[in-house]
Amino acid sequence: MTLKSIALGVMAALALTASVPALAADEPATPKKYVDARQLRIINKADYSGGPTERVYSRLPLWMKDSIASGRNLWDRQQCSAGIGIRFATNSKSIGVKYELFWDTHMIHMADTGLKGTDLYIFEGDSTWRHVNTNRPYVKKDSLGNKTKRVESTYVERLDGKMHEYMIYLPLYDGVLDEFFVSVDSGAVITPGRLDLIDKNKRIVAYGTSILQGGCASRTGMAASNIIGRELNAEVINLAFSGEGKMDTYMARALAQIPDVDIFLLDPVPNCTEKMCDTLTYNFVKILREARPDVPIVMLEGPIYPYARYDSMFHNYLPAKNAAFRKNYDKLKAENPHNLYYVTSDGLDGVEDDGTVDGIHLTDLGFRHYADKMIPILGGILYSKDKK
């Protein structure tokens, strides 16, 4: 088969796909209603004893705003709704969303569907969350033809009309303004869903950098924190921030204010220098341990990027950062051996080192490897607590 014939075949297939209407000509559109997600169940969102977040879908407490030094982008990055999700159950035959973006941002190395789209999952059978569809975040225009930041999209239109459990993951690298709506058929029943699915009594707080925030997943459900949450049936609160995660004292205090935490996962090394790993790690973990002595802490090494295999500077520097991080773990472990765990970066990117988009940030394959590494460790700690 020639390249020309292949190209013609692809063009014909695309033309055929584009010509299929959303609804048959004799099938009238069902009237919709829009339900504010606050009437449903917001998951993977931290509530702080020290006060509320600035907005419904931002991630840090408002009191922190004045604590952040000028020139740092932490407050902007916490506006991203990474990890936050909506749980609900409905018998609607169609499901969609309507929301307004905080920025309507774009990046050259991350798909808009992961950056500012949303994923719909359905609970299938009695144990498995399945991806249904992803909304393509085209922004709407107003009546004058001006571009807005509003997104409205339908995931699916011909469900079976039975009651099912669902979950929607919000944008990873953009924010959602205070109203996020789930659209369903006007006569449908919609409820917050079962509380034992994404169990509200199991909570992992994940602190880290742009990688853990979700850069650069192709869609929101593929961020590591979201994969881990689905497969461990737990809420995973994503407190990872692009360009940040630098073990600031105020961040340790904020993490300590989150109630009912079962595990703290700390993954800050990628954005820390060797000196920062050496001088900041001890106090950061110490603050958490003193405030929450009964909560296990998992310290994860920084990844060894694929190019460090060939770049002589990074070949030495990345292991040196990890060594400084490990040295502080050893000191903390010697002081108190309980509830402190260390995880090396071995196998974090799989055996083929092929899970990044730019040598650093992860593709969906990379996130799958990350989750596969961490799920047995986190699950072992999380579910062993049930036996005590």
Side-chain angles (χ1 to χ4, degrees):
M1 182 177 288
T2 66
L3 290 176
K4 181 177 180 181
S5 63
I6 292 172
L8 289 173
V10 170
M11 292 173 64
L14 290 173
L16 178 62
T17 302
S19 68
V20 176
L23 292 170
D26 59 350
E27 186 178 351
T30 303
K32 303 291 189 292
K33 63 181 177 183
Y34 295 88
V35 181
D36 193 316
R38 288 172 288 190
Q39 299 175 31
L40 303 171
R41 179 183 164 208
I42 299 174
I43 60 171
N44 306 335
K45 167 73 190 291
D47 296 314
Y48 299 89
S49 59
T53 55
E54 184 176 33
R55 299 178 300 105
V56 176
Y57 302 107
S58 56
R59 294 182 291 151
L60 288 178
L62 187 55
W63 64 260
M64 277 187 60
K65 188 173 185 178
D66 294 333
S67 302
I68 299 169
S70 62
R72 296 284 293 272
N73 64 5
L74 177 58
W75 195 252
D76 277 346
R77 289 293 178 254
Q78 71 88 31
Q79 307 287 4
C80 298
S81 51
I84 299 175
I86 311 299
R87 273 280 295 113
F88 61 97
T90 184
N91 62 354
S92 180
K93 290 187 176 182
S94 70
I95 299 175
V97 286
K98 181 170 68 173
Y99 58 98
E100 186 169 354
L101 293 164
F102 195 82
W103 294 293
D104 186 26
T105 191
H106 181 75
M107 297 196 300
I108 61 172
H109 63 328
M110 184 171 178
D112 281 357
T113 44
L115 191 80
K116 53 192 174 183
T118 59
D119 271 0
L120 176 69
Y121 278 73
I122 186 171
F123 192 68
E124 187 176 277
D126 60 359
S127 62
T128 305
W129 286 101
R130 297 285 190 191
H131 176 238
V132 177
N133 205 354
T134 300
N135 82 292
R136 297 161 179 80
Y138 300 116
V139 293
K140 298 288 185 179
K141 293 185 178 181
D142 63 18
S143 59
L144 299 177
N146 299 312
K147 187 177 178 182
T148 70
K149 296 177 183 178
R150 295 193 301 273
V151 175
E152 186 171 355
S153 183
T154 300
Y155 298 111
V156 61
E157 294 184 296
R158 300 177 189 87
L159 292 161
D160 60 14
K162 298 177 181 178
M163 205 73 176
H164 294 286
E165 300 282 343
Y166 296 96
M167 179 162 52
I168 293 173
Y169 291 114
L170 273 55
L172 295 171
Y173 265 72
D174 208 320
V176 173
L177 291 180
D178 284 342
E179 292 183 325
F180 184 93
F181 295 98
V182 179
S183 70
V184 293
D185 299 340
S186 60
V189 174
I190 184 168
T191 74
R194 290 167 47 185
L195 294 180
D196 63 319
L197 295 182
I198 308 300
D199 191 344
K200 70 181 186 67
N201 295 313
K202 297 189 184 303
R203 306 186 93 194
I204 300 169
V205 172
Y207 172 70
T209 68
S210 55
I211 298 170
L212 189 57
Q213 181 177 327
C216 294
S218 69
R219 53 183 182 82
T220 59
M222 290 308 296
S225 64
N226 292 337
I227 298 173
I228 292 168
R230 286 195 303 278
E231 298 192 10
L232 290 182
N233 191 40
E235 290 202 39
V236 180
I237 297 168
N238 188 318
L239 293 181
F241 309 97
S242 176
E244 291 289 340
K246 296 179 178 179
M247 294 190 287
D248 299 287
T249 297
Y250 49 71
M251 274 302 317
R253 291 174 178 157
L255 266 61
Q257 289 183 359
I258 303 171
D260 303 321
V261 177
D262 292 288
I263 302 172
F264 289 113
L265 169 60
L266 307 183
D267 183 9
V269 176
N271 278 352
C272 292
T273 63
E274 181 183 355
K275 182 178 180 179
M276 291 166 70
C277 289
D278 190 31
T279 60
L280 300 180
T281 303
Y282 179 86
N283 285 334
F284 189 91
V285 177
K286 188 78 169 176
I287 289 169
L288 277 181
R289 297 190 93 186
E290 290 179 349
R292 308 296 293 280
D294 296 328
V295 179
I297 298 172
V298 176
M299 298 171 62
L300 174 61
E301 279 186 352
I304 304 300
Y305 306 134
Y307 54 79
R309 192 185 299 269
Y310 311 102
D311 185 306
S312 59
M313 193 280 281
F314 284 100
H315 181 77
N316 296 312
Y317 183 61
L318 296 180
K321 292 203 298 177
N322 286 337
F325 194 59
R326 177 65 185 250
K327 181 183 76 172
N328 282 276
Y329 162 79
D330 290 338
K331 181 179 178 181
L332 290 156
K333 190 76 171 178
E335 292 178 356
N336 177 5
H338 301 294
N339 285 331
L340 189 64
Y341 303 83
Y342 191 86
V343 181
T344 71
S345 60
D346 296 343
L348 196 61
D349 188 32
V351 296
E352 74 288 317
D353 275 350
D354 205 21
T356 73
V357 69
D358 56 3
I360 297 175
H361 299 93
L362 300 183
T363 62
D364 294 353
L365 174 63
F367 282 120
R368 182 69 260 177
H369 287 320
Y370 187 114
D372 287 344
K373 168 94 175 182
M374 298 308 300
I375 283 170
I377 297 164
L378 297 172
I381 299 169
L382 188 65
Y383 286 93
S384 67
K385 296 180 71 174
D386 293 341
K387 301 175 184 178
K388 296 180 180 180

